[in-house]
Amino acid sequence: MREDIESLEFTLTRSMTYTLFKLSELLDKRKELLSNTDINSRDLSRAISAIDREISALKKEFVSEFREENFEKINYYWYLRSKE
């Protein structure tokens, strides 16, 4: 059973890959802003909030497309897990 779960392969489309790259860039930018002490707290807070909104939207986009592309495999995964 464990081998069946470990052998599952999910589809990752070009657009999902691109979304992951954008997420990575935004997370790096957010981390950089958090380590920057030169910006006053109000501007920093606004910039971080804007990045957080973008990150949230990209995560939703990724999850939505991932679920759509891998619907059957996800269901099969849960079926296997229920048998454990």
Side-chain angles (χ1 to χ4, degrees):
M1 189 72 59
R2 193 75 173 150
E3 293 97 21
D4 290 336
I5 291 175
E6 290 176 0
S7 69
L8 276 175
E9 292 185 10
F10 296 96
T11 303
L12 189 65
T13 64
R14 286 182 186 186
S15 109
M16 284 189 277
T17 304
Y18 180 70
T19 301
L20 289 175
F21 282 124
K22 289 193 304 189
L23 275 169
S24 177
E25 289 173 1
L26 286 172
L27 289 169
D28 289 344
K29 188 174 181 180
R30 185 181 191 279
K31 185 177 179 181
E32 181 183 323
L33 283 175
L34 287 172
S35 68
N36 189 353
T37 56
D38 295 337
I39 301 174
N40 76 40
S41 62
R42 183 175 239 183
D43 291 339
L44 180 63
S45 178
R46 286 182 182 154
I48 290 172
S49 292
I51 289 173
D52 285 343
R53 284 190 300 276
E54 283 184 72
I55 289 171
S56 179
L58 286 173
K59 284 180 179 180
K60 287 178 184 176
E61 179 182 325
F62 178 84
V63 169
S64 175
E65 187 173 352
F66 184 85
R67 285 181 178 158
E68 185 178 311
E69 284 292 322
N70 296 289
F71 182 77
E72 291 175 14
K73 292 176 185 176
I74 292 169
N75 285 337
Y76 183 61
Y77 168 82
W78 286 115
Y79 168 75
L80 292 173
R81 288 292 305 263
S82 71
K83 294 187 124 203
E84 287 187 328

